[in-house]
Amino acid sequence: MNQIQNTIIDAFKFRFATKEFDTTKKISDSEFNTILEAGRLSPSSLGLEPWRFLVIQNETLREKLIPYSSGAQKQLKSASHFVLILARKNVTQTSDYVQSFKQYEESTIPMFKDKVQGFQTRFHINDNARTILDWASKQTYIALGNMMTAAALMNIDSCPMEGFDLDGVTELLEHEGIIDSNQFAPSVMVAFGYRKENPTKPKTRQPQEDVIEWLN
């Protein structure tokens, strides 16, 4: 393998689900902006970017999240940076978000709206509000993966977390005036920082022959 290939594989070998971070070490502003840019620049279905990234650095808010976040107890207390990725709701042909999407010239919006409707209908995305939200949530995981990979390439640790009370977190954020639950829903949490301890077990994954099938 060449140097770039080795760097990529080494980053994936380095990364593990860090449960507790070293509170004495903080990610620099420049490095964390790179992580955020990896998320912002991620691909999404039809380029719709149905996400928002909440960088939760306020200690009081982190404490309020702990009772609703069983899978993030240590991470909320120790991570250098803590991100909650939101999925945008109601991204359909008729939504204000699609109708005013700023990536497209005004004259092309009607054609773009038809493209959105056709795509979502073929894949049963717009069957109901739940299927639309599920689709948007899947898009957030593309950004999540890119953010964690970018972090690993800089030797920064991370941990993705789905272990939280969706209703409880939603109600808390709405009560705090942070989100409008008609527009957004929490999708996944991810913590960044530097590991407090090295993993005690080697990384294990299924062998290639068990997970990859070539169709030549």
Side-chain angles (χ1 to χ4, degrees):
M1 291 192 295
N2 63 33
Q3 184 176 350
I4 293 177
Q5 289 172 308
N6 281 322
T7 298
I8 293 170
I9 297 302
D10 286 345
F12 277 96
K13 289 180 177 179
F14 162 83
R15 200 214 68 78
F16 82 108
T18 305
K19 304 303 181 186
E20 188 169 8
F21 298 88
D22 185 341
T23 57
T24 67
K25 297 180 180 179
K26 299 298 180 183
I27 302 169
S28 71
D29 291 344
S30 175
E31 288 173 320
F32 193 69
N33 186 63
T34 298
I35 293 171
L36 290 176
E37 281 292 272
R40 186 182 72 87
L41 295 171
S42 293
S44 60
S45 187
L46 296 178
L48 281 168
E49 306 169 42
W51 49 52
R52 180 166 289 182
F53 307 98
L54 298 182
V55 184
I56 303 175
Q57 298 302 89
N58 183 282
E59 295 295 335
T60 300
L61 181 56
R62 285 198 191 188
E63 287 290 333
K64 290 180 179 180
L65 282 168
I66 287 175
Y68 305 105
S69 309
S70 60
Q73 298 290 295
K74 292 182 179 180
Q75 293 92 335
L76 276 164
K77 294 178 180 178
S78 63
S80 170
H81 291 69
F82 194 92
V83 180
L84 175 56
I85 306 180
L86 305 177
R88 185 179 287 275
K89 292 183 172 182
N90 309 313
V91 180
T92 67
Q93 179 204 27
T94 58
S95 68
D96 291 341
Y97 180 70
V98 169
Q99 294 194 58
S100 63
F101 204 63
K102 295 178 174 57
Q103 283 194 5
Y104 297 91
E105 296 292 334
E106 185 175 352
S107 62
T108 66
I109 289 294
M111 185 183 300
F112 177 62
K113 287 164 56 180
D114 290 344
K115 185 177 181 181
V116 171
Q117 183 181 35
F119 168 76
Q120 291 188 333
T121 300
R122 286 194 302 275
F123 287 91
H124 299 282
I125 293 168
N126 57 3
D127 285 356
N128 53 62
R130 180 74 243 183
T131 55
I132 294 169
L133 179 58
D134 286 345
W135 164 80
S137 295
K138 287 193 290 185
Q139 306 305 303
T140 69
Y141 278 70
I142 300 173
L144 169 70
N146 287 338
M147 292 168 75
M148 292 193 298
T149 299
L153 287 165
M154 295 184 289
N155 290 325
I156 294 172
D157 292 294
S158 62
C159 185
M161 292 150 289
E162 295 179 312
F164 60 91
D165 179 341
L166 178 60
D167 292 337
V169 169
T170 300
E171 290 174 8
L172 171 62
L173 294 177
E174 189 155 47
H175 177 75
E176 295 289 326
I178 296 170
I179 69 168
D180 176 357
S181 64
N182 292 316
Q183 299 296 323
F184 290 98
S187 179
V188 63
M189 297 174 170
V190 57
F192 297 95
Y194 297 94
R195 63 190 69 181
K196 184 176 181 179
E197 297 177 349
N198 287 319
T200 57
K201 298 179 180 179
K203 185 185 291 287
T204 58
R205 292 291 188 273
Q206 296 182 67
Q208 282 198 9
E209 57 266 25
D210 289 348
V211 296
I212 298 171
E213 180 178 359
W214 287 73
L215 303 176
N216 294 319

